[in-house]
Amino acid sequence: MVKIIKGSYGHKKGSTIVPVYAGETVELTEEQEARLVNLGVAEYVGKPAQKQNSQNEGGTGDKIPGELPEYNEGMKLAELKEIAAKYGVDASEAKSKKEVIALIEAAQEQPELGGDYTVVDE
């Protein structure tokens, strides 16, 4: 669960977008929550900060939850679509690698969610 600390967030429930405003909490997938925390517009609720980083201690080489993966044009379309989902992007309709990359880059360029909504499927 995360608490929105800046601006507002558009949470998609079915076919409806429900706004979540600063000070309100929302439960999302781990990746969606991590994305909002990484953007600096949300903070975790009920999750100690040490627990988030302790998953990377122990030398497994696993990425810290919320660390967004790198991508490039040399990847397969299916791989790029999986990465797009981690960025909170629905690339299921994209037909080329260039389209998926453009969607990911557009998501990275979003403003800090002030008056705009970021829509994430549940």
Side-chain angles (χ1 to χ4, degrees), residues 53-72:
N53 292 330
S54 68
Q55 294 177 7
N56 198 32
E57 297 171 2
T60 61
D62 293 338
K63 291 187 174 190
I64 297 170
E67 186 177 324
L68 297 172
E70 295 183 20
Y71 59 92
N72 61 56

Side-chain angles (χ1 to χ4, degrees), residues 26-119:
V26 62
E27 190 165 346
L28 305 167
T29 67
E30 185 175 327
E31 290 85 13
Q32 292 166 337
E33 290 176 355
R35 178 174 176 261
L36 292 176
V37 169
N38 286 339
L39 286 171
V41 298
E43 63 187 11
Y44 288 105
V45 175
K47 197 185 257 191
Q50 293 105 349
K51 182 179 177 189
Q52 296 170 33
N53 292 330
S54 68
Q55 294 177 7
N56 198 32
E57 297 171 2
T60 61
D62 293 338
K63 291 187 174 190
I64 297 170
E67 186 177 324
L68 297 172
E70 295 183 20
Y71 59 92
N72 61 56
E73 291 181 13
M75 300 176 95
K76 295 180 180 179
L77 180 60
E79 292 172 320
L80 287 169
K81 286 183 178 185
E82 285 179 25
I83 290 173
K86 292 180 181 182
Y87 279 82
V89 174
D90 178 9
S92 60
E93 299 294 319
K95 297 187 184 343
S96 72
K97 294 190 288 186
K98 284 185 179 184
E99 284 181 67
V100 177
I101 290 171
L103 289 169
I104 293 170
E105 289 174 352
Q108 290 177 316
E109 293 172 2
Q110 286 182 341
E112 292 188 6
L113 304 181
D116 297 330
Y117 293 112
T118 298
V119 180

Side-chain angles (χ1 to χ4, degrees), residues 5-36:
I5 57 174
K6 272 189 196 173
S8 56
Y9 171 74
H11 179 58
K12 190 170 183 180
K13 285 190 175 188
S15 62
T16 305
I17 297 174
V18 179
V20 181
Y21 299 103
E24 296 179 341
T25 59
V26 62
E27 190 165 346
L28 305 167
T29 67
E30 185 175 327
E31 290 85 13
Q32 292 166 337
E33 290 176 355
R35 178 174 176 261
L36 292 176

